[in-house]
Amino acid sequence: MICPAWSKGSSGGTFSFSTTPRRSLRLQRELLEREERRRALAREWATRRFLPEPPRAPPSPPRRRRYCRDPAVHNALYAGDLPRVQSIFKDEATANLVLEMVSEELVWSPEQGLWVLSPRRQQTSALRIVTARGYEDCARHLLLRGAAVDAVVGGRAPLHDSAAAPHPNCARLLLAFGADPNVLSAEGSAPLHLCTAPQSLRCAELLLAHGARVNLGTRDRQVTALHVAARQGLVAHVELYLHHGADPSHRTHQGETPLNAAAAAAEHPKDAERYLRVAEQLLAAGADPGAAGRKGHTPLHNACANGHPGLARLLLCHGADATVPNGAGDTPMDCALRAVHEYRDQRPEETLVLLLDHGALPGHPKMLRLCCQHPPALEVMLNAYDRVPPAEGWAEDVPPELWEEHQEFYTSAVRMAGQPRRLQHLARWAIRSHLGSRCHSAVPKLALPPALRRYLQLHIEGVIS
């Protein structure tokens, strides 16, 4: 049971304060302190704005930082123990202490030729610790005691930590106390660049509402928030940034666009749908489907290398070139063939057909060894030639157990190697060669029976004839 506090009234008697009035009085006092700080800043700004600038005093020497290595202080902050924080941080000097922690890590010593323990110093601030953990009451106390809201200690400002965590309540508090939404970390990143999780959407909204520059790039690489969101497959973030004027054509120092970033990161089948939606949004906003980024990779190169037929289809429908080589001379078809084995459960034969329907060439027969362990992909590629290439380049790479499982297909492929194909296949090859990159649009319009149309579209039959 909490004992009430007693105070003398104006008549000389006493009266009790319950818990609720005491909390109300404390909040009112904090609001008054905050209002006084705001008015002081406003008066200072008005003086600088409208009055002649007074003579500048000689610059004062920088305030010497005070350090704290006391584990008890650290523990109070990490635990969010508000009473202890209030008892420790009572003024501006203590609120701006630099908290230093020393840990030991293994490093290689060339002189000794072995791994040795070496001390590693890490610095942070009290405000960084509590905002990174969402302790809003502790953060408010520190700010009211004069904690520097934008101080970059240990490489980051408090707003970086609250956005990365993410803790929207602390981000809102910091911004209300005047935090710069574009403050840069030691690595040159703004808080918006650290909104990398789906749960950080509210933080991103708060930052943009308080003036965060949506097209601000990181200091060294010029990566924007849209690049980050596209690389992480954050559909809602991408929509938010585009709504606030993000440039879908902005390039990093390596030439990457947000679409390049999304296509390169779409490596896992479970994330395929998210990255497809991100790409749809970027293309609708005007992104270039053929923009070559790092090492000359286009988004189509990346989509094919990641075994993502849905993304490849989307890019091709928006005009991506199926024949353009990258910096190493590889075409999207080369990338797709190299991905067959790793992504054989994701129907890589669909990507191969898509590329062939948009004008890609089957390439050198030696590339057949890359797809020989996935019969549907091998069938598509063999039917892209007017005659089956020699089997010596791929047959020895097929495991015996796989050969036994698909014996009819592999036997027919070896039997037809170097032999003339049926007239039906030669007619198919001639029609497809004539249509070239128009196969995807022209073949469905031909007045042919459905079975013959499927044959022209390289439908899988399970045998080479």
Side-chain angles (χ1 to χ4, degrees):
M1 178 176 181
I2 300 175
C3 296
W6 295 88
S7 175
K8 289 187 177 182
S10 59
S11 60
T14 60
F15 57 91
S16 62
F17 279 113
S18 65
T19 302
T20 302
R22 286 205 307 273
R23 185 184 300 113
S24 177
L25 288 172
R26 187 177 69 252
L27 291 175
Q28 290 179 9
R29 184 174 67 251
E30 291 178 353
L31 289 173
L32 287 173
E33 292 177 1
R34 175 179 166 189
E35 183 64 17
E36 289 176 0
R37 290 170 63 87
R38 188 191 68 77
R39 289 179 179 177
L41 290 173
R43 286 195 298 270
E44 182 181 353
W45 180 85
T47 301
R48 294 178 180 176
R49 178 80 167 79
F50 298 108
L51 298 180
E53 186 176 352
R56 292 186 178 181
S60 58
R63 179 182 298 175
R64 185 177 180 181
R65 282 184 168 181
R66 297 176 59 187
Y67 293 81
C68 175
R69 301 180 180 88
D70 188 346
V73 175
H74 299 177
N75 291 339
L77 293 165
Y78 281 109
D81 190 337
L82 181 59
R84 293 182 64 194
V85 169
Q86 290 172 332
S87 66
I88 296 170
F89 300 94
K90 298 179 180 180
D91 53 27
E92 184 175 350
T94 53
N96 287 292
L97 285 173
V98 175
L99 304 177
E100 190 171 70
M101 291 154 283
V102 179
S103 60
E104 291 189 335
E105 61 178 11
L106 283 172
V107 296
W108 177 255
S109 173
E111 295 82 8
Q112 302 180 46
L114 47 81
W115 293 90
V116 297
L117 286 173
S118 176
R120 179 171 178 263
R121 297 182 182 275
Q122 293 178 302
Q123 294 181 350
T124 186
S125 66
L127 192 56
R128 277 194 61 192
I129 292 175
V130 296
T131 53
R133 284 153 184 80
Y135 300 142
E136 185 178 0
D137 290 340
C138 294
R140 182 181 292 106
H141 171 78
L142 292 169
L143 289 166
L144 290 171
R145 294 301 174 267
V149 71
D150 283 331
V152 177
V153 182
R156 283 185 176 182
L159 197 54
H160 290 107
D161 292 316
S162 61
H167 289 299
N169 57 331
C170 288
R172 185 187 299 107
L173 178 67
L174 293 168
L175 292 165
F177 272 83
D180 180 4
N182 298 303
V183 61
L184 295 182
S185 67
E187 296 179 347
S189 298
L192 205 58
H193 297 129
L194 302 182
C195 294
T196 59
Q199 299 81 7
S200 66
L201 180 63
R202 182 56 185 151
C203 286
E205 292 172 340
L206 287 167
L207 290 166
L208 290 168
H210 284 79
R213 293 162 53 195
V214 72
N215 286 313
L216 176 66
T218 55
R219 184 188 298 122
D220 297 330
R221 297 177 55 207
Q222 285 302 301
V223 174
T224 67
L226 188 59
H227 284 93
V228 174
R231 184 172 62 244
Q232 298 296 329
L234 302 178
V235 179
H237 287 65
V238 169
E239 182 180 4
L240 174 68
Y241 297 154
L242 290 173
H243 178 74
H244 280 80
D247 182 4
S249 300
H250 185 98
R251 289 179 178 266
T252 66
H253 279 170
Q254 292 184 321
E256 296 278 309
T257 67
L259 187 58
N260 291 124
E267 298 178 333
H268 304 292
K270 63 182 178 62
D271 300 324
E273 183 61 29
R274 290 195 295 117
Y275 285 102
L276 183 61
R277 291 174 60 192
V278 166
E280 288 172 344
Q281 291 178 325
L282 293 171
L283 290 165
D288 180 5
R294 188 171 60 90
K295 297 182 180 181
H297 288 293
T298 67
L300 185 57
H301 282 94
N302 287 320
C304 293
N306 289 332
H308 199 322
L311 183 55
R313 180 181 291 104
L314 177 68
L315 293 166
L316 289 166
C317 287
H318 279 79
D321 189 346
T323 64
V324 63
N326 61 15
D330 293 332
T331 64
M333 177 63 79
D334 297 325
C335 295
L337 287 170
R338 291 192 178 96
V340 167
H341 182 72
E342 182 177 358
Y343 295 100
R344 56 185 178 275
D345 294 333
Q346 310 306 315
R347 300 183 62 83
E349 62 274 13
E350 293 184 6
T351 303
L352 300 178
V353 173
L354 278 169
L355 294 172
L356 293 169
D357 283 350
H358 284 78
L361 299 176
H364 196 279
K366 68 179 182 180
M367 299 294 285
L368 294 175
R369 62 182 178 82
L370 297 173
C371 63
C372 67
Q373 296 185 29
H374 186 64
L378 181 60
E379 179 180 340
V380 167
M381 297 308 298
L382 291 177
N383 285 331
Y385 298 94
D386 60 340
R387 62 175 57 198
V388 177
E392 289 78 9
W394 57 266
E396 60 271 15
D397 291 337
V398 181
E401 60 274 12
L402 186 65
W403 190 290
E404 183 177 354
E405 182 182 354
H406 301 277
Q407 185 173 5
E408 182 182 5
F409 168 74
Y410 284 119
T411 302
S412 67
V414 173
R415 183 177 62 249
M416 292 300 299
Q419 300 297 318
R421 298 294 299 271
R422 291 189 305 170
L423 182 60
Q424 184 179 2
H425 169 75
L426 294 177
R428 171 174 63 179
W429 181 84
I431 293 172
R432 290 182 59 87
S433 298
H434 175 73
L435 294 175
S437 61
R438 295 175 295 156
C439 280
H440 68 282
S441 58
V443 171
K445 298 177 182 178
L446 295 177
L448 297 172
L452 191 54
R453 189 181 299 112
R454 286 196 302 271
Y455 183 75
L456 273 176
Q457 294 171 324
L458 302 180
H459 180 71
I460 303 298
E461 297 179 331
V463 66
I464 299 295
S465 59

